[in-house]
């Protein structure tokens, strides 16, 4: 954009322009009022973005100095989440097994979240994956799941114990 001094008409509103005007990339002269009317408003300060560095998001545009985390108020320079929130302020669930933050992958069972490597069988201690049995002593893989003493199939749902052996209800 070049600013020049002249007396011509605006390519948008056709009003005569005396003094300063802006030429767009196609060489069309625009009066400063039309430039300001077409300029996006900053989502941070609500003022028009007329020049300088700009941060564009899915939600809209910000002056570079206005693009700040809504939680800690520090300028956002890298990855961010909607809000906008800086990467440090994004709340991540923690694993109930190891108490560390869970990044992009987690397994949620019964309202509790685990790292895939922390969601292990209470019998053999190997990671379970998506197919498991929820027993009285915790989660178990298919191999460690309690079996019916009569048919040797996995006991799912309710079961009864007779003389220390478990059977389907």
């Amino acid at each position: 954009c070049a600013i020049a001094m002249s007396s011509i008409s605006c390519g948008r509103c056709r009003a005569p322009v005396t003094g300063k005007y802006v030429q767009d990339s196609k060489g069309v002269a625009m009066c400063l009022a039309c430039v300001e009317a077409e300029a996006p408003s900053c989502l941070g300060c609500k003022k028009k973005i007329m020049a300088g560095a700009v941060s564009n998001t899915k939600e809209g545009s910000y002056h570079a100095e206005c693009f700040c985390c809504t939680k800690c108020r520090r300028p956002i320079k890298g990855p961010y989440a909607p809000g906008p929130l800086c990467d440090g302020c994004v709340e991540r669930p923690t694993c109930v097994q190891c108490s560390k933050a869970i990044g992009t992958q987690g397994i949620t069972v019964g309202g509790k979240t685990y790292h895939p490597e922390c969601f292990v069988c209470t019998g053999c201690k190997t990671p379970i994956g998506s197919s498991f049995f929820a027993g009285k002593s915790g989660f178990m893989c298919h191999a460690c799941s309690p079996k019916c003493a009569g048919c040797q199939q996995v006991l799912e749902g309710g079961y009864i114990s007779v003389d220390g052996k478990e059977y389907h209800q």
Side-chain angles (χ1 to χ4, degrees):
C1 266
I3 297 180
M5 301 291 288
S6 181
S7 179
I8 60 171
S9 49
C10 175
R12 300 280 193 259
C13 70
R14 304 286 181 224
V17 178
T18 54
K20 294 181 181 181
Y21 67 92
V22 174
Q23 275 186 310
D24 67 13
S25 60
K26 296 178 184 174
V28 176
M30 289 175 50
C31 68
L32 296 181
C34 285
V35 170
E36 186 172 348
E38 290 187 10
S41 293
C42 173
L43 291 178
C45 69
K46 310 297 184 221
K47 294 179 183 175
K48 292 288 187 170
I49 300 173
M50 297 296 292
V54 177
S55 292
N56 292 308
T57 68
K58 290 179 184 176
E59 295 82 23
S61 300
Y62 293 84
H63 293 106
E65 64 273 13
C66 295
F67 190 51
C68 297
C69 175
T70 54
K71 192 170 184 180
C72 70
R73 305 302 308 154
R74 288 185 297 224
I76 297 175
K77 302 274 189 228
Y80 68 94
L85 293 171
C86 67
D87 198 45
C89 288
V90 174
E91 292 183 25
R92 291 179 175 83
T94 56
C95 176
V96 297
Q97 187 68 31
C98 71
S99 301
K100 293 180 182 174
I102 294 177
T104 57
Q105 292 185 340
I107 297 172
T108 302
V109 179
K112 296 179 180 178
T113 307
Y114 302 81
H115 290 110
E117 63 273 14
C118 292
F119 187 59
V120 297
C121 174
T122 56
C124 65
K125 306 296 183 215
T126 59
I128 297 173
S130 61
S131 178
F132 61 90
F133 173 82
K136 292 177 183 176
S137 61
F139 302 108
M140 290 177 260
C141 65
H142 184 75
C144 294
S145 299
K147 311 288 189 288
C148 174
C151 70
Q152 299 304 310
Q153 295 297 313
V154 173
L155 289 169
E156 295 187 48
Y159 56 90
I160 57 172
S161 292
V162 178
D163 296 327
K165 295 181 181 178
E166 297 165 337
Y167 299 90
H168 295 281
Q169 281 186 331

